[in-house]
């Protein structure tokens, strides 16, 4: 009975340690995000900077952004810019 209790406690400690380790691995690397956002061509620095700021504020969006291909990242920036900037027709 006591052995089972000890094994169960040890198992729970291992689960907690694994969860903590997973969280630390999933931390946002702001420098890497900045580099990746600024690589996107055909956008001015201000638009890219605003997109970066937006992503930093939303970690789940950032994870999705970082998982995308460069083409899908560019489309994400286009969508972001169209939603956040007034662009008059010329």
């Amino acid at each position: 009975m006591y052995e089972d209790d000890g094994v169960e406690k040890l198992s729970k400690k291992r689960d907690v340690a694994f969860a903590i380790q997973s969280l630390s691995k999933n931390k946002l690397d702001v420098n890497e995000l900045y580099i990746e956002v600024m690589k996107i061509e055909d956008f001015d620095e201000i638009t890219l900077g605003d997109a970066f700021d937006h992503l930093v504020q939303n970690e789940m969006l950032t994870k999705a952004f970082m998982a995308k291909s460069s083409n899908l990242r560019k489309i994400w920036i286009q969508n972001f810019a169209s939603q956040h900037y007034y662009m008059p027709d010329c």
Side-chain angles (χ1 to χ4, degrees), residues 86-90:
Y86 173 70
M87 296 182 180
D89 294 330
C90 296

Side-chain angles (χ1 to χ4, degrees), residues 12-26:
K12 286 181 182 179
K13 285 182 181 179
R14 248 187 266 155
D15 290 345
V16 170
F18 180 74
I20 291 170
Q21 185 180 25
S22 294
L23 285 173
S24 66
K25 286 181 181 177
N26 285 330

Side-chain angles (χ1 to χ4, degrees), residues 3 6-7 9 11 15-16 22 27 31 46 51 55-56 64 69 86 90:
E3 280 185 35
V7 169
K9 286 181 182 178
S11 177
D15 290 345
V16 170
S22 294
K27 282 194 173 184
N31 293 323
I46 293 171
L55 287 167
V56 167
S69 67
Y86 173 70
C90 296

Side-chain angles (χ1 to χ4, degrees), residues 58-70:
N58 190 327
E59 192 168 348
M60 202 56 124
L61 270 179
T62 300
K63 288 177 182 180
F65 180 85
M66 293 297 283
K68 294 178 180 192
S69 67
S70 58

Side-chain angles (χ1 to χ4, degrees), residues 28-77:
L28 174 61
D29 184 344
V30 177
N31 293 323
E32 181 183 357
L33 175 63
Y34 182 80
I35 290 167
E36 293 302 317
V37 169
M38 292 306 180
K39 281 182 186 177
I40 298 172
E41 297 177 353
D42 301 328
F43 293 96
D44 62 272
E45 189 174 17
I46 293 171
T47 301
L48 293 175
D50 287 347
F52 167 78
D53 291 342
H54 182 78
L55 287 167
V56 167
Q57 293 173 20
N58 190 327
E59 192 168 348
M60 202 56 124
L61 270 179
T62 300
K63 288 177 182 180
F65 180 85
M66 293 297 283
K68 294 178 180 192
S69 67
S70 58
N71 189 45
L72 290 176
R73 287 178 181 178
K74 186 173 183 175
I75 292 168
W76 189 93
I77 297 289

